[in-house]
Structures are given as structure tokens and as C-alpha cells.
Amino acid sequence: MNQGEVLLEVVRSEMVESIHSGHLLILDSSGRSVLEIGDLDHLIFPRSAVKSLQASAMVRSGLQLNGEQLAVVCASHAGSERHLTVIRSILQGAGLDESALKNTADRPLGTAERFAWGEKPATSLAANCSGKHSGMVATCVKNSWDLETYKDPHHPLQRAIRD
């Protein structure tokens, strides 16, 4: 497995505590490469690391949220009651409820939140990615795009994100 190049060494009391390696590409605002380290063709699975990029496409497509709402769209959340309240507010602002979410059902991610959840069944709202998905369906409503297929790679939302 290609671990990449050393990107960072954490030193404490003159001892290397940890080494972080990977592949890095930094682009300027015009898309020109500023810094390249490692194998730039190495296949990666960024998962949640690209939520802010997805959210920027939603905003460019007309999504209007306050700072707290945008923060939960850009991040994985622990599933606290505050997080769920903010996500419900995004959905309600678009005239939707959690049934519009097509993400996989889960229980809260945070330890305390999962403990508090108890034996209740998993839900799409409690899943750590429901903030992003609430932004996605709200963007679809704003643009009169189909809600049922918003995760399809050919959907206008997904094309906007890819662009």
C-alpha cells in the first residue's frame, strides 16, 4: 500500500511523537498547481473530507443558510439534540421533513449521544451525514430538482457538485 510522502512530523520535547504521510495537491484560485507531494494519481476515498466542497456547490446553486446551518452541512455531526434541531430547521426551511433524506439510517456518532439514544432504531436524521443531505434536498427544492434521485450521479445536483 502506498502510504505517500511524509507531510508532517509532530515533535514534542525533541522527540518525534507522530508522523503523518499522504499525498498532497494545492491549487491556486485559477486551478494552477502550487504544490504537489506524493502520487497525485493515487486512488483515495475522501468521504467526509469533501463535504465543504459539496456545500460550496450547493451555495453556488442557490442554497441560503445561516452560519450554524451551513456548518452542519459541511461536517459530520455527533447527533446531539442541537445538531438534529439545526438539521430539522434546514429541512423545514425547504418545506420538508426527514422523510426527504435518502442517506443510510444510523444512530448518533458521538459516544454520549449514542448512549442517550439508547435502543431507539436508527434513523436518517441521526446519521452523521444528515446535515449534508439536508442541504442537498434543500438545494433541490430551491432549484425544482427531483428529490427522489438527488444521489444519482446524473442528477443536476451531483453534476453541479462535480463541476
Side-chain angles (χ1 to χ4, degrees), residues 16-83:
V16 175
E17 182 176 79
S18 60
I19 299 172
H20 303 267
S21 61
H23 311 281
L24 177 68
L25 171 64
I26 298 177
L27 304 174
D28 67 15
S29 61
S30 70
R32 187 180 59 83
S33 175
V34 175
L35 179 63
E36 298 178 6
I37 300 174
D39 179 3
L40 301 184
D41 294 320
H42 184 74
L43 182 63
I44 62 165
F45 299 98
R47 298 185 50 91
S48 294
V50 297
K51 285 182 180 174
S52 61
L53 300 175
Q54 293 169 313
S56 71
M58 294 177 225
V59 170
R60 286 193 314 272
S61 296
L63 183 63
Q64 296 179 333
L65 301 174
N66 65 38
E68 188 175 33
Q69 291 169 323
L70 188 56
V72 80
V73 170
C74 289
S76 297
H77 64 82
S80 71
E81 191 52 46
R82 183 66 195 153
H83 295 145

Side-chain angles (χ1 to χ4, degrees), residues 61 136 139-148 155-158 160:
S61 296
M136 288 181 160
T139 303
C140 289
V141 167
K142 177 76 175 172
N143 290 281
S144 301
W145 293 335
D146 182 62
L147 288 173
E148 293 301 313
H155 189 281
L157 173 66
Q158 300 303 327

Side-chain angles (χ1 to χ4, degrees), residues 77 79-89 108 117 125-126 130:
H77 64 82
S80 71
E81 191 52 46
R82 183 66 195 153
H83 295 145
L84 303 183
T85 297
V86 172
I87 294 162
R88 285 186 195 104
S89 76
W117 190 263
L125 183 67
S130 63

Side-chain angles (χ1 to χ4, degrees), residues 72-145:
V72 80
V73 170
C74 289
S76 297
H77 64 82
S80 71
E81 191 52 46
R82 183 66 195 153
H83 295 145
L84 303 183
T85 297
V86 172
I87 294 162
R88 285 186 195 104
S89 76
I90 295 168
L91 294 168
Q92 289 167 354
L96 302 170
D97 61 29
E98 75 175 275
S99 67
L101 301 174
K102 303 299 179 210
N103 56 293
T104 303
D106 200 358
R107 290 176 176 83
L109 180 64
T111 303
E113 293 80 3
R114 190 172 282 245
F115 182 78
W117 190 263
E119 296 300 318
K120 291 189 281 187
T123 68
S124 291
L125 183 67
N128 68 63
C129 60
S130 63
K132 175 186 79 174
H133 284 268
S134 68
M136 288 181 160
V137 296
T139 303
C140 289
V141 167
K142 177 76 175 172
N143 290 281
S144 301
W145 293 335

